[in-house]
Amino acid sequence: QVQLVESGGGSVQTGGSLTLSCAASGYTLSNYYMYMAWFRQAPGKEREGVAAIDFDDSTVYADSVKGRFTISQDNAWNTFYLQMNSLKPEDSAMYYCAASRVHCSGVLLPQYFVHSWGQGTQVTVSS
């Protein structure tokens, strides 16, 4: 199983920005996956999809982050990013990079379809 490695989490104040990164350790992601996503999970809540990008570069966002978050890749399908702007306290959560072999444009796939997870990186937004 491909290991996904995240980085970039941290603590910011309301209105601040963070960029999360996700890369495969020792593997070329494009050889394995066609769909990359970011999920998040706050304490006591279910894990939810935040943003996703498909192999054809189509993107989709949860309504709660639309217009504030941007998912992108490095044009080589090796590293993925989640640019988070105008952060709010309700964005505080553990953020997970996820990969799927399912090719599905424009849809936030439920976690059932995820084939590989990163270890998670904490994002904390203070008011």
Side-chain angles (χ1 to χ4, degrees):
Q1 185 175 357
V2 176
Q3 182 178 3
L4 301 176
V5 180
E6 300 128 335
S7 60
S11 298
V12 294
Q13 292 187 328
T14 298
S17 298
L18 284 172
T19 300
L20 307 182
S21 299
C22 172
S25 176
Y27 297 87
T28 300
L29 282 171
S30 59
N31 291 341
Y32 297 90
Y33 301 111
M34 304 184 75
Y35 180 99
M36 300 296 296
W38 289 94
F39 285 72
R40 68 185 181 187
Q41 188 168 20
K45 294 188 177 181
E46 291 189 358
R47 191 172 296 189
E48 61 175 355
V50 173
I53 185 167
D54 199 69
F55 199 67
D56 61 5
D57 260 358
S58 63
T59 58
V60 62
Y61 299 91
D63 288 343
S64 58
V65 306
K66 203 172 292 184
R68 301 187 296 122
F69 290 12
T70 303
I71 188 170
S72 62
Q73 53 102 1
D74 65 349
N75 293 324
W77 204 250
N78 282 330
T79 304
F80 293 82
Y81 306 95
L82 184 68
Q83 173 68 43
M84 304 183 294
N85 298 326
S86 302
L87 283 162
K88 306 174 181 179
E90 51 264 42
D91 295 318
S92 297
M94 187 71 78
Y95 282 71
Y96 298 90
C97 178
S100 175
R101 292 187 286 273
V102 174
H103 179 40
C104 192
S105 299
V107 175
L108 275 175
L109 290 175
Q111 54 181 315
Y112 175 82
F113 293 97
V114 172
H115 295 104
S116 185
W117 292 97
Q119 79 284 359
T121 185
Q122 180 67 39
V123 172
T124 303
V125 185
S126 57
S127 57

